[in-house]
Amino acid sequence: MTTTFHRHWRDVPESAWRWSNFSPAEIACRGTGKLLINAPALDKLQALRDRLGKPLIVRSAYRSPEHNQ
């Protein structure tokens, strides 16, 4: 599994974000801003979005351990 961690979603280089219908802020932990990118999972989410042809709302994608405490 290919994962990448960022201390905050704002640290993700624009050139590294390839999922056009989703933003790093949308996938990041809402409590801390930390972001764990699971590329295969996001690829599948983007493919589903492309297939449906309409928006998907991501309510929760990643919760940092700090936020869970």
Side-chain angles (χ1 to χ4, degrees):
M1 186 176 306
T2 305
T3 58
T4 308
F5 178 78
H6 295 276
R7 294 178 76 76
H8 198 277
W9 62 265
R10 289 185 194 111
D11 298 337
V12 178
E14 193 172 315
S15 62
W17 192 260
R18 65 178 191 248
W19 303 280
S20 59
N21 294 109
F22 303 96
S23 70
E26 186 176 12
I27 304 302
C29 176
R30 298 205 190 316
T32 64
K34 292 182 179 185
L35 177 61
L36 182 68
I37 299 171
N38 180 322
L42 282 171
D43 288 342
K44 289 178 182 179
L45 188 63
Q46 182 63 56
L48 177 62
R49 165 59 174 88
D50 293 342
R51 186 173 176 192
L52 292 174
K54 57 172 111 175
L56 294 174
I57 298 169
V58 177
R59 296 279 183 220
S60 178
Y62 175 69
R63 268 178 88 101
S64 69
E66 298 85 358
H67 183 71
N68 282 337
Q69 288 178 338

